[in-house]
Amino acid sequence: MTVPPAADVAAAPAPHSVDLDLTGRTALVTGAAGGIGRACALRLAAAGATVRAVDRDGTGLEELGARAGGLPGAVEPQLLDLTDLDAAERAAAGTDVLVNNAGLQLVRPIEEFPPEVFATVLTVMLEAPFRLIRGALPHMYGQGWGRIVNISSVHGLRASRFKSAYVAAKHGLEGLSKVAALEGAAHGVTSNCVNPGYVRTPLVEQQIADQAAAHGIPAERVVADILLADSALKRLVEPEEVAEAVAYLCARQASFITGASVPLDGGWTAH
């Protein structure tokens, strides 16, 4: 059971709205095997970057590599488990553009939340971005240019019940991003967050199907009445929309944007 894209989101790849040339640049995207990460990797490769596509999903990385054929830039799949923090820091060396995207989710009340899962979520979604930034900054500082884009969430700006680890990690990522912005400003390095609401990914599509079956209602009502109850726009965000926001933050026109959080939340945070 799937929800069709909104009428204003083309089914076929649309022309890119951002004039971005990353020829000769190296980008690293975590969680690149699917969803937002895959869209970001393809978008940056389309701009001419050599993209280190990092994930622990080998099959997804193979599919990404196949989709990237013919783009101006290259996609270099790299198997990496971000709980190996030393390896994550090493992987970021020599990176011009860093997109911290990888994440995971578990929905439980705090009193039932497994402590080991809480620790893993913070490792992957907060400690690993810190180590990746730490590994990337020497090269960025040395050349006087760099772009750090952290895929946060509306949950980096708002909280929801039963998502203690995810919300804590995203709030921490917001703070880390701002510190990197302050420290990097003198070196030509910007650091920003992109904050999407619910994005059309396989994980969210499955949540929609499960909720529809449980409540006996159409998938469209699950999106509008349950997932997007706090959003003014009642549709999912497309991964390509998030990738285009990432592209803008890497463009020369965005060189004065740093330490910011850019909501793609359909008005959720307008409340």
Side-chain angles (χ1 to χ4, degrees), residues 20-30 40-41 43-45 47-54 73-78 90-99 132 135-137 139-140 143 145-149 250:
L20 178 63
D21 184 1
L22 293 176
T23 303
R25 300 288 190 187
T26 297
L28 187 150
V29 180
T30 66
C40 289
R43 179 63 180 94
L44 297 177
T50 297
V51 181
R52 298 174 188 167
V54 170
V75 171
E76 299 177 347
Q78 181 177 345
R90 290 193 298 269
T95 299
D96 302 302
V97 175
L98 172 62
V99 180
L132 287 154
L137 283 181
H139 171 72
M140 292 180 178
Q143 67 180 359
W145 190 92
R147 296 291 180 265
I148 299 166
V149 185
C250 295

Side-chain angles (χ1 to χ4, degrees), residues 178-204:
K178 289 177 171 60
V179 172
L182 295 177
E183 295 185 8
H187 304 279
V189 176
T190 66
S191 176
N192 293 287
C193 287
V194 175
N195 301 73
Y198 285 98
V199 181
R200 186 187 304 278
T201 63
L203 180 65
V204 171

Side-chain angles (χ1 to χ4, degrees), residues 50-72:
T50 297
V51 181
R52 298 174 188 167
V54 170
D55 208 297
R56 62 181 183 179
D57 177 2
T59 301
L61 288 176
E62 288 180 10
E63 294 172 355
L64 170 63
R67 291 191 60 178
L71 293 176

Side-chain angles (χ1 to χ4, degrees), residues 79-231:
L79 279 172
L80 179 64
D81 187 335
L82 290 178
T83 61
D84 186 341
L85 297 172
D86 290 338
E89 184 169 330
R90 290 193 298 269
T95 299
D96 302 302
V97 175
L98 172 62
V99 180
N100 284 311
N101 166 72
L104 59 155
Q105 175 68 282
L106 180 67
V107 180
R108 293 284 191 283
I110 291 174
E111 70 275 16
E112 298 175 12
F113 208 101
E116 65 277 11
V117 177
F118 191 96
T120 298
V121 171
L122 264 68
T123 297
V124 171
M125 295 173 56
L126 184 55
E127 285 193 77
F130 161 71
R131 296 293 293 272
L132 287 154
I133 292 171
R134 188 175 188 271
L137 283 181
H139 171 72
M140 292 180 178
Y141 284 2
Q143 67 180 359
W145 190 92
R147 296 291 180 265
I148 299 166
V149 185
N150 301 297
I151 306 300
S152 182
S153 165
V154 68
H155 284 112
L157 306 173
R158 294 287 188 272
S160 291
R161 290 172 294 179
F162 312 129
K163 297 181 179 180
S164 56
Y166 189 87
V167 170
K170 291 301 189 184
H171 274 66
L173 184 63
E174 294 280 331
L176 174 64
S177 183
K178 289 177 171 60
V179 172
L182 295 177
E183 295 185 8
H187 304 279
V189 176
T190 66
S191 176
N192 293 287
C193 287
V194 175
N195 301 73
Y198 285 98
V199 181
R200 186 187 304 278
T201 63
L203 180 65
V204 171
E205 292 269 0
Q206 187 58 54
Q207 289 182 42
I208 294 168
D210 292 345
Q211 292 269 14
H215 294 281
I217 59 177
E220 292 83 354
R221 280 196 56 198
V222 172
V223 173
D225 299 344
I226 299 175
L227 295 187
L228 304 182
D230 294 321
S231 175

